[in-house]
Amino acid sequence: MKKIQTPLILKDYLSYLKSIRGLSKKTISEYNYDLINFISFQILRKFYFDDLDRFNQDLEKSIIDSNKIFTKSFINDINIQDMYAYISYLDNELNDNTSTRSRKLSALRSFYKYLHQEIEMIDNNISEKLRNPKIQKRQPVYLTLSETEHLLSTIANEKNEFLRNRDMAIVFTFLTTGMRLSELVSVNLSDIKDDHFSIIGKGNKERTIYLTKNCLDLIDNYIMIRKNYLKDKKTDALFISTRKNRISNRAVQSTVEKYLKKAGFDTSIYSTHKLRHTAATLMYKYGNVDIRALKDVLGHESVSTTQIYTHLDNEDLKNAVNKNPLSNLKI
């Protein structure tokens, strides 16, 4: 289904997210995409009675004016049945999984809360009645301690001095801090303060990332190599590409994938993001880290998000059973 142009009501809401809520460009872009999808679906449902071909033809002819259609009366006419029809559309037509549908419902609830509480355009916030699709919780994929050591030894065998030092610093930073990819790529030399980074993380919020002594040593070694590699060129970006510019998200992903393959790991299962899972798991499993502290380390909004890392593997379960005081009882 083709999308309509962004109506003024939605543009005002997106400006509110930026100026008042302080959300990031990426988050606002995702909200815009999801809500345009919702509005397009409702216009199709209400005015075209699911005649998708005619809807798309009228879009091509520029006959559909979203500002004239998506008005206060139109929004108030959308009922709970229309809402659930949209959820069914996401499931049956777009094949969105439960996590994606939940994210889109979150955007919808936020928009309706704005319409109801902030600008008082609607009388009732019917989005509050929506039930989230049930998400099947899966154990996060991560590298064990021995597998992590094997990955690091693989990087240590890289022959190119610049790549060896840079890539070791990147991967070790992931593994000891649990940083997000976008956070690591955005780090500048000026962000390094003694034993930590000060960065702007997800949701445009300032975060402090503490570094271990050996991680700092690796970064210091890399910085010396980086200085010689750059020569006279200047950039504040900590991690740079072979072209001497700030390294991109995709370049980091390709680099990590290269070493995972060399180390014998299946890259359809393991990825850059799995290094974040690994960091969280190792901290929780070996560091006796409180879940609330782990939440702050990872930059999560809620403890419930962090709880996926409190999984137990088979060894933990076996040890737990053996620690039962009855396990040594002679009978």
Side-chain angles (χ1 to χ4, degrees), residues 26-40:
K26 182 183 176 188
T27 300
I28 293 171
S29 177
E30 288 173 349
Y31 271 53
N32 181 42
Y33 177 85
D34 292 342
L35 292 169
I36 281 289
N37 203 15
F38 169 74
I39 295 168
S40 298

Side-chain angles (χ1 to χ4, degrees), residues 34-296:
D34 292 342
L35 292 169
I36 281 289
N37 203 15
F38 169 74
I39 295 168
S40 298
F41 172 82
Q42 295 301 340
I43 291 175
L44 170 64
R45 177 175 167 83
K46 297 279 189 180
F47 286 93
Y48 290 83
F49 308 103
D50 294 333
D51 188 345
L52 183 58
D53 289 338
R54 187 164 66 90
F55 174 79
N56 288 331
Q57 287 170 10
D58 284 356
L59 269 182
E60 291 284 359
K61 298 174 187 175
S62 299
I63 294 174
I64 300 175
D65 186 341
S66 61
N67 284 311
K68 289 183 178 178
I69 297 176
F70 197 67
T71 61
K72 178 179 179 179
S73 60
F74 182 89
I75 297 169
N76 275 289
D77 281 343
I78 296 173
N79 57 39
I80 194 68
Q81 186 177 347
D82 298 322
M83 292 277 195
Y84 279 120
Y86 171 64
I87 297 172
S88 295
Y89 162 74
L90 297 178
D91 183 18
N92 300 321
E93 300 298 326
L94 296 189
N95 296 316
D96 287 345
N97 60 35
T98 51
S99 296
T100 302
R101 298 203 303 275
S102 292
R103 191 203 76 213
K104 291 181 177 180
L105 285 182
S106 178
L108 192 57
R109 287 194 185 95
S110 175
F111 181 50
Y112 265 73
K113 185 177 180 181
Y114 164 81
L115 295 175
H116 183 237
Q117 294 184 5
E118 299 297 331
I119 63 174
E120 300 178 352
M121 178 174 280
I122 57 176
D123 302 323
N124 298 301
N125 183 359
I126 59 170
S127 72
E128 292 178 342
K129 297 179 181 179
L130 289 174
R131 297 176 61 183
N132 266 339
K134 186 175 181 180
I135 298 177
Q136 298 296 325
K137 292 186 177 180
R138 297 177 182 176
Q139 297 283 38
V141 176
Y142 64 98
L143 297 172
T144 64
L145 181 57
S146 61
E147 288 172 336
T148 302
E149 291 170 346
H150 176 53
L151 175 62
L152 293 172
S153 66
T154 302
I155 301 171
N157 290 326
E158 169 63 53
K159 293 178 180 177
N160 182 293
E161 183 183 30
F162 170 74
L163 293 180
R164 182 175 64 254
N165 282 272
R166 184 200 68 181
D167 299 345
M168 183 66 83
I170 286 175
V171 172
F172 202 79
T173 300
F174 273 134
L175 290 170
T176 54
T177 67
M179 291 178 76
R180 297 180 178 92
L181 172 60
S182 58
E183 293 173 337
L184 182 133
V185 166
S186 70
V187 174
N188 294 320
L189 286 172
S190 55
D191 294 326
I192 304 174
K193 318 286 184 185
D194 296 325
D195 62 349
H196 64 274
F197 296 142
S198 292
I199 64 165
I200 302 299
K202 188 175 181 181
N204 212 27
K205 294 179 180 177
E206 186 172 351
R207 285 226 299 138
T208 298
I209 308 289
Y210 287 98
L211 304 168
T212 62
K213 173 66 167 58
N214 50 0
C215 185
L216 278 169
D217 289 342
L218 287 172
I219 290 173
D220 286 342
N221 289 339
Y222 158 68
I223 289 174
M224 286 190 291
I225 301 295
R226 172 190 177 278
K227 185 177 180 181
N228 293 331
Y229 189 77
L230 280 174
K231 295 182 180 176
D232 295 330
K233 184 169 181 178
K234 295 186 182 297
T235 175
D236 195 31
L238 173 58
F239 294 114
I240 59 173
S241 68
T242 52
R243 295 183 178 180
K244 304 180 181 181
N245 299 313
R246 182 184 299 277
I247 197 168
S248 67
N249 288 19
R250 185 63 201 127
V252 172
Q253 290 170 328
S254 296
T255 296
V256 172
E257 185 176 300
K258 177 183 77 172
Y259 292 116
L260 285 168
K261 280 183 178 178
K262 281 187 176 181
F265 296 108
D266 185 347
T267 53
S268 69
I269 299 174
Y270 297 98
S271 63
T272 304
H273 191 63
K274 299 305 184 284
L275 299 186
R276 176 170 161 85
H277 289 184
T278 300
T281 301
L282 294 179
M283 283 182 223
Y284 186 80
K285 185 179 174 71
Y286 295 99
N288 195 27
V289 179
D290 178 81
I291 190 170
R292 286 180 173 77
L294 188 58
K295 163 188 167 291
D296 291 339

